[in-house]
Amino acid sequence: MKKYLIGVDVGGTSIKFGRFSLEGDLIEKWNIRTNHKDQGEYIITDIVKSLKSQVEISEIFGIGIGVPGPVKDDLIIHCVNLNWGTKNIKEEMKSLLQREDIIIKIGNDANVAAAGEMYKGSAKGYKNVVMYTLGTGIGGGIIIDGKPLEGVNGAGAELGHIVVDFKHNYRCACGKTGCLETVSSATGIVRLAKEYLIHFKARSPLRHFENFSAKKVFDYAKEGDYISRKIIEESMKYLALAIANVSLTIDPEIIIIGGGVSNAGGYLIDMINKFYPSFSSPFIKKANIQLATLGNDAGIYGCAYLVKWWNLKFLIKM
Amino acid sequence: MKKYLIGVDVGGTSIKFGRFSLEGDLIEKWNIRTNHKDQGEYIITDIVKSLKSQVEISEIFGIGIGVPGPVKDDLIIHCVNLNWGTKNIKEEMKSLLQREDIIIKIGNDANVAAAGEMYKGSAKGYKNVVMYTLGTGIGGGIIIDGKPLEGVNGAGAELGHIVVDFKHNYRCACGKTGCLETVSSATGIVRLAKEYLIHFKARSPLRHFENFSAKKVFDYAKEGDYISRKIIEESMKYLALAIANVSLTIDPEIIIIGGGVSNAGGYLIDMINKFYPSFSSPFIKKANIQLATLGNDAGIYGCAYLVKWWNLKFLIKM
């Protein structure tokens, strides 16, 4: 009988599904809306229902599930976005699927995205990977020797909350000031831009808009607008500092930049590389810094990898 | 026949030896001077000679060796202090000892010290440990799931070179400015103190000395001297930032502070704890911060652990 790996990436807005061959090739993908009703208590039944309608349950080898919150040894510590407290969804899934033998692995969404890029994306062939997902916030994922780093409390790789800015004192959603997320996320770039437009008098096409996106700031910077370039430089200087710090700590092979902001492409990587040497150490070889390539599919690939990795670890024959 | 674990901690000034039972109990320790002649080429023969004079070679189960430089898979990348370039001392030792079957494991000295504290010191019972050794410089060691983190280039845990200070611009031995080592090592504390004594006019017993140690600054701070306290506060604020950053990255169970500066004791830990919350995240549980307890023996204990860990990993019967 054909067997498949299933990846389920649970987000605040939608739940993405992927069906993969045992070699990790994506066969089909689909998604459903995340149902927030009653403390998110229908999410698991929705997942099972969707799986049953799309896949022959007996053909599932294993399911990897990524969730937006800390996870330790397959136990979800909490997911603020889903209104979940501590939750063991493994047994619930097995019982709903009526298959006790199925392998179910749970991971944090940012770690799972890093695993996805390592499995089939721009970090393919590497085993020591750090990934920054630059979106509205900043997520961080770390893989060491092929294994996602969960940390003791399931909170490893909270890379968006490393303090890097001692100048602006922007307040982060986490309560602190100076977090990387406050200056290098999409929101952070716009925040910096609004301050620059007040403090500097130079002309800038940004002044034509009341509201604009981080993409706009990148676009004008690329076109040579002085203020936009200064904004991006400052924002990427903080990111370079954060990347250098994480490199000095765990000395990875490759650093992947993903999320919406990474659509700025090679220009963004060049900016990081410009500032990186002043924060890194001549003692250590510079990690390769690359753009993510899997986009929104990184999560489902990484979920499939979780099952794969678990099997390799225990040498279970697939 | 009785079998022993041997720990050899190679430093720039002396080489420390320890003979341990297979359970990791220290039976005896001794040391010899480090011979720097001819690019340090006599160091290995000196180690073997000293071992032969002190131990029955046939009774050695395995030898762990700590060296002051990056190490990857038992290969020494370089040791600036010993004038060593890339070096494979494993085979050299086996041949000099005329025992091919002996287990020889090599580790970086700071990682090995962290392993020692985990094996028999203040991190006993933990498996995820970060150690800062505050001396003339700052060394860093990281253990994840019981395994010393070497990093891809053998340069994991270069924790003294994380950039934390954007105010003073002190130049580090590594070439950068702002490294933790420039402000929180013994040398860094004295450097900060000298600047405070110039910029602030308040009285301080420190003014009675032309030269003084970091210990003096700590002592006067504890006695209530205003300037000394301010110096220690600033220095420990940087250390708290560095510790919070590393916690957000790898989420360890315990953080150990060792090295000469750690003799300042509970006062030092209280200072770190005072500043830590402003840099950490409410999302993660605070790691336990403790003083090291093995002092200069941490290295030899950690070397013994390397052999032990290697065996546990491969389930070789000891």
Side-chain angles (χ1 to χ4, degrees):
Chain A
M1 200 194 329
K2 268 247 174 250
K3 286 275 183 183
Y4 302 100
L5 301 172
I6 302 289
V8 184
D9 186 10
V10 184
T13 315
S14 72
I15 302 171
K16 298 179 196 70
F17 294 79
R19 182 162 65 96
F20 297 84
S21 71
L22 293 185
E23 291 70 42
D25 296 316
L26 182 59
I27 296 163
E28 60 166 344
K29 58 178 182 172
W30 70 97
N31 60 70
I32 62 173
R33 281 194 53 199
T34 309
N35 183 351
H36 287 264
K37 244 192 286 176
D38 298 338
Q39 314 291 315
E41 77 160 271
Y42 307 112
I43 292 174
I44 298 303
T45 43
D46 284 356
I47 290 173
V48 170
K49 210 183 292 173
S50 183
L51 279 174
K52 282 185 173 166
S53 72
Q54 205 81 9
V55 194
E56 195 60 60
I57 298 302
S58 61
E59 291 179 351
I60 299 176
F61 179 81
I63 305 174
I65 304 172
V67 298
V71 175
K72 180 71 186 171
D73 298 331
D74 296 321
L75 184 73
I76 298 168
I77 311 298
H78 58 75
C79 289
V80 178
N81 285 349
L82 307 177
N83 286 311
W84 282 359
T86 303
K87 213 172 166 75
N88 185 347
I89 62 174
K90 209 167 152 170
E91 296 312 314
E92 194 179 342
M93 293 261 317
K94 283 186 180 182
S95 125
L96 287 168
L97 290 166
Q98 293 173 287
R99 275 201 44 202
E100 264 309 308
D101 62 319
I102 214 163
I103 292 166
I104 296 181
K105 296 300 299 171
I106 323 289
N108 164 269
D109 56 357
N111 263 344
V112 154
E117 290 290 340
M118 179 178 67
Y119 193 26
K120 298 286 174 179
S122 58
K124 203 171 165 176
Y126 294 93
K127 293 180 80 179
N128 292 274
V129 179
V130 174
M131 181 170 175
Y132 288 85
T133 304
L134 310 179
T136 315
I138 293 185
I142 296 179
I143 314 282
I144 292 180
D145 289 337
K147 183 184 173 192
L149 178 77
E150 287 189 337
V152 168
N153 307 294
E158 279 285 357
L159 303 180
H161 299 289
I162 283 183
V163 175
V164 290
D165 165 34
F166 297 89
K167 203 165 86 181
H168 299 286
N169 272 311
Y170 298 139
R171 179 74 55 184
C172 184
C174 80
K176 280 190 299 178
T177 58
C179 294
L180 180 66
E181 185 164 302
T182 65
V183 282
S184 303
S185 64
T187 328
I189 291 169
V190 171
R191 187 184 284 124
L192 268 180
K194 296 209 163 162
E195 188 169 330
Y196 270 70
L197 291 174
I198 291 169
H199 286 289
F200 295 95
K201 295 297 160 219
R203 281 172 189 227
S204 169
L206 289 176
R207 297 194 190 277
H208 303 149
F209 305 90
E210 198 178 330
N211 289 302
F212 49 80
S213 63
K215 183 182 182 306
K216 267 268 181 286
V217 187
F218 263 109
D219 287 345
Y220 288 132
K222 288 178 193 173
E223 288 170 17
D225 174 48
Y226 176 78
I227 287 201
S228 299
R229 193 181 162 93
K230 286 285 161 201
I231 296 160
I232 296 300
E233 280 186 346
E234 180 168 356
S235 172
M236 291 301 110
K237 197 182 72 182
Y238 295 123
L239 182 57
L241 167 62
I243 291 175
N245 279 354
V246 85
S247 291
L248 285 161
T249 305
I250 64 165
D251 186 17
E253 287 162 292
I254 187 165
I255 290 170
I256 302 297
I257 312 291
V261 175
S262 71
N263 292 328
Y267 183 80
L268 180 150
I269 302 293
D270 291 346
M271 280 286 182
I272 299 171
N273 283 327
K274 178 177 172 183
F275 295 106
Y276 183 89
S278 58
F279 302 121
S280 182
S281 166
F283 298 160
I284 80 160
K285 205 176 143 214
K286 186 177 165 296
N288 190 359
I289 304 174
Q290 295 288 341
L291 294 166
T293 52
L294 297 179
N296 289 331
D297 291 343
I300 51 173
Y301 275 98
C303 290
Y305 175 81
L306 282 189
V307 178
K308 191 93 180 178
W309 172 80
W310 182 253
N311 277 281
L312 287 176
K313 190 179 159 194
F314 293 105
L315 303 168
I316 297 167
K317 204 160 172 278
M318 289 177 82
Chain B
M1 199 196 326
K2 267 249 175 248
K3 286 275 184 184
Y4 302 101
L5 300 172
I6 302 289
V8 183
D9 186 10
V10 183
T13 316
S14 73
I15 302 171
K16 298 178 196 75
F17 294 79
R19 183 161 65 96
F20 296 85
S21 70
L22 293 184
E23 290 71 41
D25 295 317
L26 181 60
I27 295 163
E28 59 166 343
K29 58 178 182 174
W30 70 99
N31 60 71
I32 61 174
R33 280 194 52 199
T34 309
N35 183 350
H36 285 266
K37 245 192 284 177
D38 297 337
Q39 313 291 315
E41 78 160 89
Y42 307 114
I43 292 175
I44 298 303
T45 43
D46 284 357
I47 290 173
V48 170
K49 210 183 292 171
S50 182
L51 280 174
K52 283 184 171 165
S53 73
Q54 204 82 11
V55 194
E56 196 58 64
I57 299 300
S58 61
E59 291 179 352
I60 299 176
F61 179 81
I63 306 174
I65 303 173
V67 297
V71 175
K72 179 71 186 171
D73 298 331
D74 296 322
L75 184 73
I76 298 169
I77 310 299
H78 59 75
C79 289
V80 179
N81 285 348
L82 307 177
N83 285 311
W84 282 359
T86 302
K87 215 174 165 75
N88 184 347
I89 62 174
K90 210 166 151 169
E91 295 313 316
E92 195 181 342
M93 294 259 321
K94 283 186 180 182
S95 127
L96 287 167
L97 289 165
Q98 295 174 288
R99 276 202 45 201
E100 264 309 309
D101 63 318
I102 214 163
I103 293 166
I104 296 182
K105 295 300 297 171
I106 323 290
N108 164 268
D109 57 356
N111 263 345
V112 155
E117 290 289 342
M118 178 179 68
Y119 193 25
K120 297 287 174 177
S122 58
K124 203 172 164 175
Y126 293 92
K127 293 182 79 180
N128 292 275
V129 179
V130 174
M131 180 169 176
Y132 288 84
T133 304
L134 310 179
T136 315
I138 293 185
I142 297 179
I143 315 280
I144 293 180
D145 289 336
K147 183 184 172 190
L149 178 77
E150 288 189 336
V152 169
N153 308 294
E158 280 285 357
L159 303 180
H161 299 288
I162 283 183
V163 175
V164 291
D165 165 33
F166 298 88
K167 204 166 84 182
H168 300 286
N169 272 311
Y170 297 140
R171 179 74 55 185
C172 184
C174 81
K176 279 189 301 178
T177 58
C179 294
L180 181 65
E181 186 164 301
T182 65
V183 283
S184 303
S185 63
T187 328
I189 291 169
V190 172
R191 187 184 285 123
L192 269 179
K194 295 208 163 162
E195 187 169 329
Y196 269 71
L197 292 175
I198 292 167
H199 286 289
F200 295 94
K201 295 297 160 218
R203 284 172 187 224
S204 167
L206 289 177
R207 298 195 189 277
H208 303 152
F209 306 91
E210 198 177 330
N211 289 303
F212 49 81
S213 63
K215 183 182 180 308
K216 267 266 180 288
V217 187
F218 263 109
D219 287 346
Y220 288 132
K222 288 178 192 172
E223 287 169 17
D225 173 49
Y226 176 79
I227 286 202
S228 299
R229 191 179 163 94
K230 286 286 162 201
I231 296 160
I232 297 300
E233 280 186 346
E234 180 168 358
S235 173
M236 292 301 111
K237 197 182 73 183
Y238 294 123
L239 182 57
L241 167 61
I243 291 176
N245 279 354
V246 86
S247 291
L248 285 161
T249 306
I250 63 166
D251 187 15
E253 286 162 293
I254 187 165
I255 290 170
I256 302 296
I257 312 292
V261 175
S262 71
N263 291 328
Y267 183 81
L268 181 149
I269 302 293
D270 291 347
M271 280 285 182
I272 299 171
N273 283 328
K274 178 177 173 183
F275 295 106
Y276 183 89
S278 58
F279 302 121
S280 181
S281 165
F283 298 160
I284 80 161
K285 205 177 144 211
K286 186 177 164 298
N288 191 359
I289 304 174
Q290 294 288 341
L291 294 167
T293 51
L294 297 180
N296 290 332
D297 292 344
I300 50 174
Y301 274 99
C303 290
Y305 174 81
L306 282 190
V307 179
K308 190 92 179 179
W309 172 79
W310 182 253
N311 276 282
L312 287 176
K313 191 182 159 193
F314 293 104
L315 303 168
I316 298 167
K317 206 163 170 273
M318 291 176 81

